[in-house]
Amino acid sequence: MILVFFLFLSILTIFLSIKMSYYADVLSKTTKASIEAIGGILLAGITSLPELITCFSSIYLDNIYLAVGDIIGSNLFNITIICFFDIIFVKKMMFNKTTSKALVYIILLINYFFIYLSLNGNISLSLFNIGFPTFIVLFTYTFYIKKQLKTQNESSNDIVKKEKFIVLKFILTAIFLVLISTLLTIIVNKISIMYPSFSSSFIGAIFLGITTSLPEVITFISLIKLENYDMALSDIIGSNLFNLLVLSIGDIIFRHNQIYYYADFSSVLMLKLCIITTFISFVQNKRNKSFCKITYIIPSIIVVLLYFMFWLLNI
């Protein structure tokens, strides 16, 4: 019964996420913001709302391993999704048509590096019981936001017909998404208690990590079909950066210890895979255009295979 309720909440999360993406799209078309600002900041923040709530809820429920597993698992799943649909839509050769996202990729890799060093207390640098990686994430995310806002396109976007009460609908949908995400975390916490043979971080990665990433998946597929490859990639990569911001805020809220101490084998393995797969995606985005589908698709195949290997090692 609890799994049925989990499925029901997951479907609601998908529905609300679609609505949020639609309302954000309508609002964005009345601004002069660039694709990078809209995709990397606005959509990334919206589609990452479930991760924000589930992380904080997990901390409140005193299941810190679940919070860490959710964030890292979501990031790994997000990168895998890019590569999976790159394979599905191989005819489009998406990475041949995206502009450079070097800045956000480099920031992600820097953040992963410092978080990895702090896992399980390997490096216990802290200030006021706040981990050193938290300060790195906060600084780099602020730098990223300022950089994106400076690169806004000065040309006006086409103004669409404004939908009535769009702001009110946007706010109400966000509130419902917050409530559903909170319930989802409580359900997954109960599932982790029911199945003690699996670690909380693994359950967080599989149940929460995938479910809370569904908004990114839905938005990504929609944008690919619209051939808006830049915004699709900016949304996913921006969401991963936002997720690390959520983890760092969780570290500030969790006053008992550094949140990075709560990492088991699954979390450490996932973070290693995040570093590897993010670097592969970075190379895909920066390399010269590939006109041979076989050589073009190899990096995406490697990423997807690595993700399935992770599943096999934890089942």
Side-chain angles (χ1 to χ4, degrees), residues 166-222:
I166 187 68
V167 175
L168 178 61
K169 291 177 181 179
F170 181 89
I171 295 172
L172 288 176
T173 305
I175 292 172
F176 279 116
L177 187 60
V178 167
L179 294 175
I180 296 301
S181 299
T182 304
L183 285 174
L184 199 59
T185 309
I186 295 172
I187 294 299
V188 174
N189 184 62
K190 289 184 177 180
I191 292 174
S192 68
I193 295 172
M194 290 172 60
Y195 298 96
S197 58
F198 295 100
S199 68
S200 289
S201 61
F202 176 69
I203 290 177
I206 300 303
F207 282 93
L208 278 182
I210 293 177
T211 305
T212 56
S213 289
L214 287 176
E216 287 92 339
V217 174
I218 296 161
T219 303
F220 184 80
I221 295 173
S222 300

Coordinates of all heavy atoms in Angstrom, one line a residue, residues 166-222:
I166 N -1.4 34.5 -13.8 CA -0.3 33.6 -14.0 C 0.6 33.6 -12.8 O 1.1 32.5 -12.4 CB 0.5 34.0 -15.3 CG1 1.6 33.0 -15.6 CG2 1.1 35.4 -15.1 CD1 1.1 31.7 -16.0
V167 N 0.8 34.7 -12.1 CA 1.7 34.7 -11.0 C 1.0 34.0 -9.8 O 1.7 33.2 -9.1 CB 2.0 36.2 -10.5 CG1 2.8 36.2 -9.2 CG2 2.7 37.0 -11.6
L168 N -0.3 34.1 -9.6 CA -1.0 33.4 -8.6 C -0.9 31.9 -8.8 O -0.7 31.1 -7.9 CB -2.5 33.9 -8.5 CG -3.4 33.2 -7.5 CD1 -2.8 33.4 -6.1 CD2 -4.8 33.7 -7.6
K169 N -1.1 31.5 -10.1 CA -1.1 30.1 -10.4 C 0.3 29.5 -10.2 O 0.5 28.4 -9.7 CB -1.5 29.9 -11.9 CG -2.9 30.1 -12.2 CD -3.2 30.0 -13.7 CE -4.7 30.2 -14.0 NZ -5.0 30.1 -15.4
F170 N 1.3 30.3 -10.5 CA 2.7 29.9 -10.3 C 3.0 29.7 -8.8 O 3.6 28.7 -8.4 CB 3.6 31.0 -10.8 CG 5.1 30.7 -10.7 CD1 5.8 30.1 -11.7 CD2 5.8 31.1 -9.6 CE1 7.1 29.8 -11.6 CE2 7.2 30.9 -9.5 CZ 7.8 30.2 -10.5
I171 N 2.5 30.6 -8.0 CA 2.8 30.5 -6.5 C 2.0 29.3 -5.9 O 2.6 28.6 -5.1 CB 2.4 31.8 -5.8 CG1 3.3 33.0 -6.3 CG2 2.4 31.7 -4.3 CD1 2.9 34.4 -5.8
L172 N 0.8 29.2 -6.3 CA -0.1 28.1 -5.7 C 0.5 26.7 -6.1 O 0.6 25.8 -5.3 CB -1.5 28.2 -6.2 CG -2.3 29.3 -5.6 CD1 -3.7 29.4 -6.3 CD2 -2.5 29.2 -4.1
T173 N 1.0 26.6 -7.4 CA 1.6 25.4 -7.9 C 2.8 25.1 -7.1 O 3.1 23.9 -6.7 CB 1.9 25.4 -9.4 OG1 0.7 25.8 -10.1 CG2 2.4 24.1 -9.9
A174 N 3.6 26.1 -6.8 CA 4.9 25.9 -6.1 C 4.6 25.4 -4.6 O 5.3 24.5 -4.1 CB 5.6 27.2 -6.0
I175 N 3.5 26.0 -4.0 CA 3.1 25.6 -2.7 C 2.7 24.1 -2.6 O 3.1 23.3 -1.8 CB 2.0 26.5 -2.1 CG1 2.5 27.9 -1.9 CG2 1.4 25.9 -0.8 CD1 1.4 28.9 -1.6
F176 N 1.9 23.7 -3.6 CA 1.5 22.3 -3.7 C 2.6 21.4 -3.9 O 2.7 20.3 -3.4 CB 0.4 22.1 -4.8 CG -1.0 22.5 -4.4 CD1 -1.6 23.6 -5.0 CD2 -1.6 21.8 -3.4 CE1 -2.9 24.0 -4.6 CE2 -2.9 22.2 -3.0 CZ -3.6 23.3 -3.6
L177 N 3.6 21.8 -4.7 CA 4.8 21.0 -5.0 C 5.6 20.8 -3.8 O 6.1 19.7 -3.5 CB 5.6 21.7 -6.1 CG 6.8 20.9 -6.6 CD1 6.3 19.5 -7.2 CD2 7.6 21.6 -7.7
V178 N 5.7 21.9 -2.9 CA 6.4 21.8 -1.7 C 5.7 20.8 -0.7 O 6.4 19.9 -0.1 CB 6.4 23.2 -1.0 CG1 6.9 23.0 0.5 CG2 7.4 24.1 -1.7
L179 N 4.4 20.8 -0.7 CA 3.6 19.9 0.2 C 3.8 18.4 -0.2 O 4.0 17.5 0.6 CB 2.2 20.3 0.3 CG 1.8 21.6 0.9 CD1 0.3 21.9 0.7 CD2 2.2 21.6 2.4
I180 N 3.6 18.2 -1.5 CA 3.8 16.9 -2.1 C 5.2 16.3 -1.9 O 5.4 15.1 -1.5 CB 3.4 16.8 -3.6 CG1 1.9 17.2 -3.8 CG2 3.7 15.4 -4.1 CD1 0.9 16.3 -3.0
S181 N 6.2 17.2 -2.1 CA 7.6 16.8 -1.9 C 7.9 16.4 -0.4 O 8.6 15.4 -0.2 CB 8.5 17.9 -2.3 OG 8.3 18.2 -3.7
T182 N 7.2 17.1 0.5 CA 7.4 16.8 1.9 C 6.8 15.4 2.2 O 7.4 14.6 2.9 CB 6.7 17.9 2.8 OG1 7.3 19.2 2.5 CG2 7.0 17.6 4.3
L183 N 5.6 15.2 1.7 CA 4.9 13.9 1.9 C 5.8 12.7 1.3 O 5.9 11.7 1.9 CB 3.5 13.9 1.3 CG 2.4 14.6 2.1 CD1 1.2 14.7 1.3 CD2 2.2 14.0 3.4
L184 N 6.3 13.0 0.2 CA 7.1 12.0 -0.5 C 8.4 11.6 0.3 O 8.7 10.4 0.4 CB 7.6 12.6 -1.9 CG 8.1 11.7 -3.0 CD1 7.0 10.7 -3.3 CD2 8.5 12.4 -4.2
T185 N 9.0 12.6 0.9 CA 10.1 12.3 1.8 C 9.8 11.5 3.0 O 10.5 10.5 3.4 CB 10.8 13.6 2.3 OG1 11.0 14.5 1.2 CG2 12.1 13.4 3.0
I186 N 8.6 11.8 3.6 CA 8.1 11.0 4.7 C 7.9 9.5 4.3 O 8.3 8.6 5.0 CB 6.9 11.6 5.3 CG1 7.2 13.0 5.9 CG2 6.3 10.7 6.4 CD1 5.9 13.8 6.3
I187 N 7.3 9.3 3.1 CA 7.0 8.0 2.6 C 8.3 7.2 2.4 O 8.4 6.1 2.8 CB 6.2 8.1 1.4 CG1 4.8 8.6 1.7 CG2 6.0 6.7 0.7 CD1 4.0 7.8 2.6
V188 N 9.3 7.9 1.8 CA 10.5 7.2 1.5 C 11.3 6.9 2.7 O 12.0 5.9 2.8 CB 11.4 8.1 0.5 CG1 12.8 7.5 0.3 CG2 10.7 8.2 -0.8
N189 N 11.2 7.8 3.7 CA 11.8 7.5 5.0 C 11.2 6.2 5.6 O 11.9 5.4 6.2 CB 11.6 8.7 6.0 CG 12.3 8.5 7.3 OD1 13.5 8.4 7.3 ND2 11.5 8.4 8.4
K190 N 9.9 6.0 5.5 CA 9.2 4.8 6.0 C 9.7 3.6 5.2 O 9.9 2.5 5.8 CB 7.7 5.0 5.9 CG 7.2 6.0 7.0 CD 5.6 6.0 6.9 CE 5.1 7.0 8.0 NZ 3.6 7.0 7.9
I191 N 9.8 3.8 3.9 CA 10.3 2.7 3.1 C 11.7 2.2 3.5 O 12.0 1.0 3.5 CB 10.3 3.1 1.6 CG1 8.9 3.3 1.1 CG2 11.0 2.0 0.7 CD1 8.7 3.8 -0.3
S192 N 12.6 3.2 3.8 CA 13.9 2.9 4.3 C 13.9 2.1 5.6 O 14.8 1.3 5.8 CB 14.8 4.1 4.4 OG 14.3 4.9 5.5
I193 N 12.9 2.3 6.4 CA 12.8 1.6 7.7 C 12.2 0.2 7.4 O 12.7 -0.8 8.0 CB 11.8 2.4 8.7 CG1 12.5 3.7 9.0 CG2 11.6 1.5 9.9 CD1 11.5 4.6 9.8
M194 N 11.3 0.1 6.4 CA 10.7 -1.2 6.1 C 11.7 -2.2 5.4 O 11.6 -3.4 5.5 CB 9.5 -1.0 5.2 CG 8.3 -0.4 5.8 SD 7.1 0.1 4.6 CE 6.7 -1.6 3.9
Y195 N 12.7 -1.6 4.7 CA 13.7 -2.4 4.0 C 15.1 -2.1 4.5 O 15.9 -1.4 3.8 CB 13.6 -2.2 2.5 CG 12.3 -2.5 1.9 CD1 11.3 -1.6 1.8 CD2 12.0 -3.8 1.6 CE1 10.0 -1.9 1.2 CE2 10.7 -4.2 1.1 CZ 9.8 -3.2 0.9 OH 8.5 -3.5 0.4
P196 N 15.5 -2.5 5.7 CA 16.7 -2.2 6.4 C 17.9 -2.8 5.6 O 19.1 -2.4 5.9 CB 16.6 -2.8 7.8 CG 15.6 -3.9 7.6 CD 14.6 -3.4 6.6
S197 N 17.7 -3.8 4.7 CA 18.8 -4.4 4.0 C 19.5 -3.4 3.0 O 20.6 -3.6 2.6 CB 18.4 -5.6 3.3 OG 17.3 -5.3 2.4
F198 N 18.7 -2.4 2.7 CA 19.3 -1.3 1.8 C 19.6 -0.1 2.6 O 18.9 0.3 3.5 CB 18.2 -0.9 0.7 CG 17.9 -2.1 -0.2 CD1 16.7 -2.8 -0.1 CD2 18.7 -2.4 -1.3 CE1 16.4 -3.8 -1.0 CE2 18.4 -3.4 -2.2 CZ 17.2 -4.1 -2.0
S199 N 20.7 0.5 2.2 CA 21.2 1.7 2.9 C 20.2 2.9 2.6 O 19.6 2.9 1.6 CB 22.6 2.1 2.5 OG 22.6 2.5 1.2
S200 N 20.1 3.8 3.6 CA 19.3 5.0 3.4 C 19.8 5.8 2.2 O 19.0 6.4 1.4 CB 19.3 5.9 4.6 OG 18.6 5.3 5.7
S201 N 21.1 5.9 2.0 CA 21.6 6.7 0.9 C 21.2 6.1 -0.5 O 21.0 6.8 -1.4 CB 23.1 6.9 1.0 OG 23.8 5.6 1.0
F202 N 21.2 4.7 -0.5 CA 20.9 4.0 -1.7 C 19.4 4.2 -2.0 O 19.0 4.5 -3.2 CB 21.2 2.5 -1.6 CG 20.8 1.7 -2.8 CD1 21.4 1.9 -4.0 CD2 19.7 0.8 -2.7 CE1 21.0 1.2 -5.2 CE2 19.3 0.1 -3.8 CZ 20.0 0.3 -5.0
I203 N 18.6 4.1 -1.0 CA 17.1 4.3 -1.2 C 16.9 5.8 -1.6 O 16.0 6.1 -2.4 CB 16.4 4.0 0.1 CG1 16.4 2.4 0.3 CG2 14.9 4.5 0.0 CD1 15.7 2.0 1.5
G204 N 17.6 6.7 -1.0 CA 17.5 8.1 -1.3 C 17.9 8.3 -2.8 O 17.2 9.1 -3.5
A205 N 18.9 7.6 -3.3 CA 19.3 7.8 -4.6 C 18.3 7.2 -5.6 O 18.0 7.8 -6.7 CB 20.7 7.1 -4.9
I206 N 17.7 6.1 -5.3 CA 16.8 5.4 -6.2 C 15.4 6.0 -6.1 O 14.9 6.4 -7.1 CB 16.8 3.9 -5.9 CG1 18.2 3.3 -6.1 CG2 15.8 3.2 -6.8 CD1 18.8 3.5 -7.4
F207 N 14.8 6.0 -4.9 CA 13.4 6.4 -4.8 C 13.4 8.0 -4.9 O 12.6 8.5 -5.7 CB 12.8 6.0 -3.5 CG 12.4 4.5 -3.5 CD1 13.3 3.5 -3.1 CD2 11.2 4.2 -4.0 CE1 12.9 2.2 -3.1 CE2 10.8 2.8 -4.0 CZ 11.7 1.8 -3.6
L208 N 14.1 8.7 -4.0 CA 14.0 10.1 -4.0 C 14.8 10.8 -5.2 O 14.3 11.7 -5.8 CB 14.5 10.7 -2.7 CG 13.5 10.7 -1.5 CD1 14.2 11.3 -0.3 CD2 12.2 11.4 -1.9
G209 N 16.0 10.2 -5.4 CA 16.9 10.8 -6.4 C 16.3 10.8 -7.8 O 16.3 11.8 -8.5
I210 N 15.6 9.7 -8.1 CA 15.0 9.6 -9.4 C 13.7 10.4 -9.5 O 13.4 11.2 -10.4 CB 14.7 8.2 -9.8 CG1 16.1 7.5 -10.1 CG2 13.9 8.1 -11.1 CD1 16.0 6.0 -10.4
T211 N 12.8 10.2 -8.4 CA 11.5 10.9 -8.4 C 11.7 12.4 -8.4 O 10.9 13.1 -9.1 CB 10.7 10.4 -7.1 OG1 10.7 9.0 -7.1 CG2 9.3 11.0 -7.1
T212 N 12.6 12.9 -7.5 CA 12.7 14.4 -7.5 C 13.4 15.0 -8.7 O 13.4 16.2 -8.9 CB 13.5 14.8 -6.2 OG1 14.8 14.2 -6.2 CG2 12.7 14.5 -5.0
S213 N 14.0 14.1 -9.5 CA 14.6 14.5 -10.8 C 13.6 14.5 -12.0 O 13.9 14.9 -13.1 CB 15.8 13.7 -11.1 OG 16.9 14.0 -10.3
L214 N 12.4 14.0 -11.7 CA 11.4 13.9 -12.8 C 11.1 15.2 -13.4 O 10.9 15.3 -14.6 CB 10.1 13.2 -12.3 CG 10.2 11.7 -12.1 CD1 8.9 11.1 -11.5 CD2 10.6 11.0 -13.4
P215 N 11.0 16.3 -12.6 CA 10.7 17.6 -13.2 C 11.8 18.0 -14.3 O 11.4 18.5 -15.4 CB 10.7 18.6 -12.0 CG 10.3 17.7 -10.9 CD 10.9 16.4 -11.1
E216 N 13.1 17.7 -14.0 CA 14.1 18.0 -14.9 C 14.0 17.2 -16.2 O 14.2 17.7 -17.3 CB 15.5 17.8 -14.3 CG 15.9 18.8 -13.3 CD 15.6 18.4 -11.9 OE1 14.6 17.6 -11.7 OE2 16.2 19.0 -10.9
V217 N 13.6 15.9 -16.0 CA 13.4 15.0 -17.1 C 12.4 15.5 -18.1 O 12.5 15.5 -19.3 CB 13.1 13.6 -16.6 CG1 12.8 12.6 -17.8 CG2 14.3 13.0 -15.8
I218 N 11.2 15.8 -17.5 CA 10.0 16.2 -18.3 C 10.4 17.5 -19.0 O 10.1 17.7 -20.2 CB 8.8 16.5 -17.4 CG1 8.4 15.1 -16.7 CG2 7.7 17.0 -18.2 CD1 7.5 15.3 -15.5
T219 N 11.0 18.5 -18.3 CA 11.4 19.7 -19.0 C 12.4 19.5 -20.1 O 12.3 20.1 -21.2 CB 11.9 20.7 -17.9 OG1 11.0 20.9 -16.9 CG2 12.2 22.1 -18.6
F220 N 13.4 18.7 -19.8 CA 14.4 18.4 -20.8 C 13.8 17.8 -22.0 O 14.2 18.2 -23.1 CB 15.4 17.4 -20.1 CG 16.6 17.1 -21.0 CD1 17.7 18.0 -21.0 CD2 16.7 15.9 -21.7 CE1 18.8 17.7 -21.8 CE2 17.8 15.6 -22.5 CZ 18.8 16.6 -22.6
I221 N 13.0 16.8 -21.9 CA 12.4 16.1 -23.1 C 11.6 17.2 -23.9 O 11.7 17.2 -25.2 CB 11.5 15.0 -22.7 CG1 12.3 13.9 -22.0 CG2 10.7 14.4 -23.9 CD1 11.5 12.8 -21.4
S222 N 10.8 18.0 -23.2 CA 10.0 19.0 -23.9 C 10.8 20.0 -24.7 O 10.5 20.3 -25.8 CB 9.1 19.8 -22.9 OG 8.3 18.9 -22.2

